[in-house]
Amino acid sequence: MRRVESYWRLKLREIRRLRTDSPVVFNARAIQKIRRSLSSWNRRTLRPWLQKSPESPRSYETSSSIPLKRFYTPVDVAYLDYERDLGYPGAFPFTNGIYPNMYRGKLWTMRMFSGFGMPEDTNRRLKYLLEQGETGLSIAFDMPTLYGYDCDHTKAHGEVGKCGVNVSSLKDMEIIFDGIPLDRVSTSMTINAPAAVLTCMYAAVGEKQNVPKRKLRGTVQTDILKEYIAQKEWAYPPEAHLRIIRDMMVYCTRYMPNWNYISISGYHIREAGANAVQELAFTLADGFAYVDLGIEAGLKIDEFAPRLSFFFNCTMDFFEEIAKFRAARRIWARVMKEKYRAKDPRSLWLRFHTQTSGASLTWQQPMNNIIRTTIGALAAVLGGTQSLHTNSYDEAWALPTEQAVMVALRTQQIIAEETGAADITDPLAGSYLIEWLTDEMEERVYRYFDQIESLGGVLEAIRAGYLQREIVENAYRDQLKLENGEHVMVGVNKHAIHEEPPIDTLKVNPAVQDKQIERLERLRRERDHPKVKTALSALKTAFKDSRANCMYPMLKAVKAYCTLGEIVDVGREVFGEWREPSLL
Amino acid sequence: MSSVKPEKLERKIRILVAKPGLDGHDRGALILSRAFRDAGMEVIYSGLLPTPDDVAQMAIDEDVDVVAMSLLNGAHMTAFPMVGRILKEKGARDILLVGGGIIPEEDKKLLQKDGITGNFGPGTPLKTIIDHIIERVRKERWKLK
């Protein structure tokens, strides 16, 4: 532990030292000259100007409270060493981007997240998307599924099919993927606490279609650490979930080489109220915790690291967001190489999906949200994202209507096809501001790593409520800034108008719950009861033995049509539940 | 708005901030908890994932003046009125209920009929919410004008 603690401290010192290095790209004498002329400009040009036309006294800073100058010069990045700090696209440390030719070779994937109601509804929707030429499916689940409760559980009342599709057993997954060849699509499933169960269900559907596990392609989110930090959808205490994730890492490395079993997510951390530096620091810290988990399970770094991918938020502080993505790539690559000794370039690549910020959308004057999403999407593209979901303008109201989803997709297509933004790799590289901000964020992220490590690591920081409180405090500060007008949201605290709710919202048919319950009851009557009982008891034995890999009995339980709730309940019985520390 | 300023209140308002459902979106609830506390109220936070039963019981056990409920998952029409019904069954119909979340206009009217007021949407200033609570507590709980 001691040795690891000193790693981040050393790294932080190194990063600080790099930023005071003598000029490499710039000429030392030229920098001196600029320093002098800058000081004279300050005296002779700026100061008299400010006397005539004073500035608004507000503070100029990024969302992460990084103070900003009026403008940036080579002096701010005098230490810059092009090859060391940026490299080239597709070359270490990947600051520019992970591929040598970026979007000229492969445009980002436009992956729109969808799903609601009955499994049949989602099946129809997925088939429609496939007919439109999409190959990347992305499924949203309802709250009971996300928490691992069956649709007839008392806690599920009123929530079935509301925020996504309901899956209570393998039967529902069979319906969702009916007629969809799993060897020809890749499926992203936004699921965390029960991710292992859904992975087993997907494998079981594949088996029925005669598609071997090794051919299955897709992503499950599985990032339980950010659940405790931000999204708060868990079933057990963290160590129990981490043990199941460990089993999944080992199992998938062996049998499902094309399955991205963790998508390390900053999106929810940001939405919960974190700033950009916190989003980056906490997400990367989670990522390194999963790397440690894989190594502890006996896996070799290059065996599993290429399967890890990331999921970030992109919101309105344009330049800070772009710098965030660049810093993210560089930190990941350096630490993976230096600390974990990864050799495979794919282990060093920080591949990421981006979603524009839901919290940036306003309930008021919803059409303005199209503009906000456009700005966020453009920053994500300039930041080098591998895939992108753009939010629909009506999402502060409800699930999006088809028309709104269409506009959101078109936003990406316009950026891709009309603006030229995708033609050049990392087009803002070399901007004094962007380079300085990238380095500044990197340093602040290492400061958080050091702090987290001094608390005993991510898990301990979660148990102590530290990460959660950091976010709440930032969220509250932001809210107060909004209230006193320091922070502006157009249409909310400035340029507000009186308005009637003007747009159509999507409604989910309330009969979904009854129909799902009816199907589940039928399943419970008709399945092979002794088989169910045996499977659940084998799963319980595996859960109790921390050396066992629970994926094998879990797959058996899924195939015996044990329900999602039954399977997750076995864990609740063995591992107990989780109460989060006080956050007030 | 003729509301009394928080610091001039006759006594402290006790408030339970609750998320009665399967909904982990606690940003709003936690921000409100801090704002209520800074406005001089005694704040109890339900924590995550209580059932409506748990919320009602907590409200009675903690002897609160008001329960502020927040849900962003679309289940407000089931969960909010259920808390009200259980409170009535347990003889605590005098505990006030206010709501917030993403609540469509037509739902607001129905909730209002069940005594759940406010039903504030995203972007509502904290002061509006605090004033609403103070006004109701003074009028309905403390019978002041």
Side-chain angles (χ1 to χ4, degrees), chain A residues 143 147 155 157-159 162-163 231-232 234 271-273 364 396-397 472-473 475-476 483 501 507 580 583-584, chain B residues 22-27 30-31 33-35 37-38 45 48-49 73-75 78 102 105-106 122 125-126:
Chain A
M143 286 291 176
Y147 282 100
K155 290 196 175 191
H157 191 64
E159 321 230 11
K162 277 275 163 73
C163 309
Q231 189 170 237
K232 321 276 173 105
W234 55 71
E271 291 291 293
Q364 293 81 355
W397 293 69
V472 180
E473 270 157 32
Y476 188 43
E483 308 259 318
K507 300 272 186 300
E580 74 171 340
L583 304 181
L584 290 189
Chain B
L22 287 184
D23 180 15
H25 299 90
D26 58 358
R27 178 176 178 163
L30 291 171
I31 286 177
S33 297
R34 286 181 182 228
R37 195 186 57 192
D38 287 355
Y45 175 50
L48 287 170
L49 316 183
N73 61 352
T78 4
I102 301 178
E105 282 312 298
E106 59 268 31
L126 295 172

Side-chain angles (χ1 to χ4, degrees), chain A residues 54-332:
Chain A
E55 290 173 353
S56 123
R58 72 181 179 88
S59 60
Y60 292 84
E61 53 183 35
T62 68
S63 84
S64 314
S65 306
I66 298 174
L68 290 171
K69 297 183 181 178
R70 290 184 189 83
F71 76 114
Y72 288 78
T73 68
V75 172
D76 297 295
V77 285
Y79 53 82
L80 201 72
D81 179 338
Y82 184 79
E83 277 136 330
R84 179 195 69 195
D85 299 336
L86 281 84
Y88 291 91
F92 188 79
F94 304 99
T95 312
N96 293 130
I98 58 171
Y99 304 128
N101 59 349
M102 283 305 285
Y103 301 136
R104 288 195 188 191
K106 187 178 186 300
L107 203 61
W108 68 89
T109 309
M110 300 178 191
R111 204 189 270 278
M112 304 296 278
F113 183 47
S114 66
F116 63 91
M118 297 284 289
E120 284 85 349
D121 299 323
T122 298
N123 177 257
R124 268 192 300 276
R125 179 79 194 154
L126 295 184
K127 279 183 175 157
Y128 168 79
L129 289 171
L130 289 172
E131 280 159 23
Q132 303 303 308
E134 276 219 25
T135 51
L137 306 175
S138 179
I139 301 177
F141 297 96
D142 68 357
M143 286 291 176
T145 309
L146 293 173
Y147 282 100
Y149 293 111
D150 287 339
C151 59
D152 59 350
H153 193 282
T154 42
K155 290 196 175 191
H157 191 64
E159 321 230 11
V160 177
K162 277 275 163 73
C163 309
V165 63
N166 177 261
V167 171
S168 294
S169 77
L170 175 59
K171 191 95 222 153
D172 296 320
M173 285 287 274
E174 288 167 1
I175 297 167
I176 292 174
F177 293 105
D178 181 47
I180 298 173
L182 295 195
D183 51 349
R184 299 228 295 273
V185 295
S186 91
T187 306
S188 162
M189 296 194 279
T190 300
I191 189 96
N192 292 280
V197 188
L198 271 289
T199 296
C200 289
M201 286 180 177
Y202 197 78
V205 174
E207 202 172 299
K208 295 211 166 178
Q209 292 188 3
N210 286 320
V211 178
K213 285 197 271 287
R214 67 189 154 73
K215 281 201 171 165
L216 296 175
R217 283 184 302 127
T219 307
V220 273
Q221 201 163 69
T222 320
D223 176 9
I224 204 69
L225 292 171
K226 68 95 175 51
E227 293 299 331
Y228 298 103
I229 298 171
Q231 189 170 237
K232 321 276 173 105
E233 290 163 7
W234 55 71
Y236 321 128
E239 55 282 0
H241 276 299
L242 287 173
R243 178 264 161 112
I244 296 171
I245 294 171
R246 177 204 71 185
D247 291 354
M248 214 174 145
M249 291 174 89
V250 172
Y251 184 91
C252 292
T253 302
R254 192 151 175 199
Y255 301 110
M256 299 174 75
N258 293 310
W259 195 247
N260 298 309
Y261 44 77
I262 307 179
S263 166
I264 307 150
S265 308
Y267 186 82
H268 320 78
I269 292 174
R270 191 65 175 279
E271 291 291 293
N275 62 38
V277 166
Q278 291 171 330
E279 178 196 357
L280 191 50
F282 300 172
T283 309
L284 290 174
D286 289 349
F288 298 131
Y290 293 121
V291 171
D292 291 333
L293 191 65
I295 289 171
E296 279 164 31
L299 298 174
K300 292 197 186 70
I301 186 79
D302 286 326
E303 236 175 5
F304 72 97
R307 293 260 67 84
L308 304 177
S309 64
F310 287 82
F311 171 24
F312 288 111
N313 200 305
C314 198
T315 183
M316 304 310 296
D317 199 325
F318 194 69
F319 299 114
E320 190 184 38
E321 293 300 58
I322 295 167
K324 177 184 80 182
F325 297 127
R326 301 176 84 244
R329 274 191 296 269
R330 187 161 67 201
I331 296 168
W332 182 254

